[in-house]
């Protein structure tokens, strides 16, 4: 089982619709959860972070975390063509030595927002 | 404030050569981590440095090494390059060593021929 799993997509949504991106993780010791947006040929850009169960909203973005189900999601409201990108789910897992932390990424979901 | 800066942005090397990649974190950030991203995959953790000490290492061979300087900038070194080392190398800056937000630089695109 992969540590962080995402559907690779592509997920196609029409402009103005809600895009729903999902991610599951395997390590119950995971402490923090992030969504990054990556445009083709560019580096990942942090768009949301969430640390506790529930919802966190920032503009058109809502991150949802359910630690019991080991599930984190990202909702994008009023999707725009400029939202077309790969969305990477990242989970921060304390390193085995206990002195570091690392981000473990899923393979990303490619989102296409159509006109 | 400047974000995370990496240099060079692109690099072409021949198999067997050595490469050094550089990263300057966000001002006030003391942790630098390095990641490798190959096409179609998420970034893979290579190293974390905090306060000039290695705090974590991913599943990469000893050909990969890194260090952090007193000004918190960092270098990633890769020896005896293989074709499979071709990837986007990403530096991430974070304030502390714990599970806090990490911000990436623009990356270095390494091509090994």
């Amino acid at each position: 089982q992969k540590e962080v799993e995402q559907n690779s997509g592509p997920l196609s949504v029409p402009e103005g619709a809600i895009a729903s991106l999902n991610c599951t993780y395997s390590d119950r010791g995971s402490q923090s959860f992030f969504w990054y947006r990556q445009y083709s040929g560019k580096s990942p850009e942090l768009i949301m972070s969430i640390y506790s169960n529930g919802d966190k909203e920032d503009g058109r973005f809502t991150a949802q975390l359910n630690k019991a189900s080991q599930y984190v999601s990202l909702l994008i409201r009023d999707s725009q063509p400029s939202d077309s990108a790969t969305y990477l789910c990242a989970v921060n897992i304390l390193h085995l030595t206990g002195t570091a932390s690392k981000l473990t990424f899923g393979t990303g979901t490619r989102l296409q927002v159509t006109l | 404030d400047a974000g995370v800066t990496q240099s060079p942005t692109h690099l072409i090397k021949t198999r067997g050569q050595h490469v050094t990649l550089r990263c300057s974190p966000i001002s006030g950030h003391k942790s630098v981590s390095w990641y490798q991203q190959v096409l179609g995959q998420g970034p893979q953790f290579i190293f974390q440095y905090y306060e000039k000490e290695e705090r974590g290492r991913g599943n990469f061979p000893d050909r990969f090494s890194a260090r952090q300087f007193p000004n918190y900038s960092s270098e990633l070194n890769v020896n005896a390059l293989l074709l499979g080392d071709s990837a986007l190398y990403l530096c991430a800056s974070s304030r502390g060593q714990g599970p806090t937000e990490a911000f990436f630089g623009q990356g270095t695109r390494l091509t090994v021929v």
Side-chain angles (χ1 to χ4, degrees):
Chain A
Q1 181 187 9
K2 291 182 180 179
E3 292 180 281
V4 179
E5 295 204 53
Q6 296 182 256
N7 188 319
S8 61
L11 173 65
S12 184
V13 299
E15 184 178 6
I18 296 175
S20 178
L21 304 163
N22 305 314
C23 171
T24 58
Y25 60 94
S26 61
D27 190 332
R28 288 192 174 275
S30 302
Q31 300 176 302
S32 48
F33 308 84
F34 306 94
W35 285 97
Y36 287 84
R37 177 175 63 198
Q38 187 171 29
Y39 293 112
S40 181
K42 302 295 185 182
S43 64
E45 175 192 6
L46 179 65
I47 54 173
M48 288 291 288
S49 59
I50 187 165
Y51 300 91
S52 55
N53 282 329
D55 295 359
K56 178 182 178 183
E57 186 174 320
D58 184 0
R60 296 187 295 114
F61 300 100
T62 299
Q64 300 173 316
L65 174 61
N66 184 326
K67 289 187 177 181
S69 301
Q70 296 175 247
Y71 177 90
V72 58
S73 65
L74 179 70
L75 301 177
I76 306 175
R77 289 181 299 280
D78 188 24
S79 294
Q80 300 298 309
S82 59
D83 294 326
S84 298
T86 295
Y87 289 80
L88 295 163
C89 173
V91 176
N92 196 304
I93 300 171
L94 194 62
H95 194 270
L96 288 175
T97 64
T99 61
S101 61
K102 68 171 188 177
L103 289 175
T104 299
F105 286 83
T107 55
T109 298
R110 188 157 63 93
L111 173 66
Q112 293 177 338
V113 180
T114 58
L115 295 173
Chain B
D1 278 344
V4 183
T5 57
Q6 291 186 244
S7 63
T9 55
H10 294 84
L11 204 52
I12 299 175
K13 289 287 190 178
T14 303
R15 277 179 300 173
Q17 285 189 314
H18 162 272
V19 67
T20 298
L21 311 180
R22 295 178 175 83
C23 171
S24 292
I26 293 169
S27 178
H29 284 195
K30 298 182 178 181
S31 176
V32 169
S33 298
W34 288 94
Y35 290 81
Q36 180 197 67
Q37 186 178 27
V38 299
L39 199 61
Q41 300 295 317
Q44 296 292 313
F45 174 75
I46 308 175
F47 287 109
Q48 185 196 22
Y49 276 78
Y50 177 73
E51 290 284 14
K52 303 179 289 295
E53 292 187 7
E54 182 183 307
R55 301 292 182 158
R57 183 186 183 114
N59 189 23
F60 281 81
D62 290 344
R63 299 184 296 108
F64 289 76
S65 64
R67 56 180 174 169
Q68 187 176 34
F69 299 99
N71 65 354
Y72 302 108
S73 67
S74 178
E75 286 182 351
L76 175 69
N77 296 282
V78 187
N79 293 323
L81 285 167
L82 304 174
L83 295 179
D85 295 331
S86 296
L88 179 66
Y89 287 85
L90 296 161
C91 172
S93 166
S94 53
R95 190 168 298 276
Q97 77 170 30
T100 57
E101 294 179 338
F103 302 89
F104 285 94
Q106 78 275 32
T108 295
R109 175 76 60 188
L110 172 65
T111 303
V112 182
V113 296

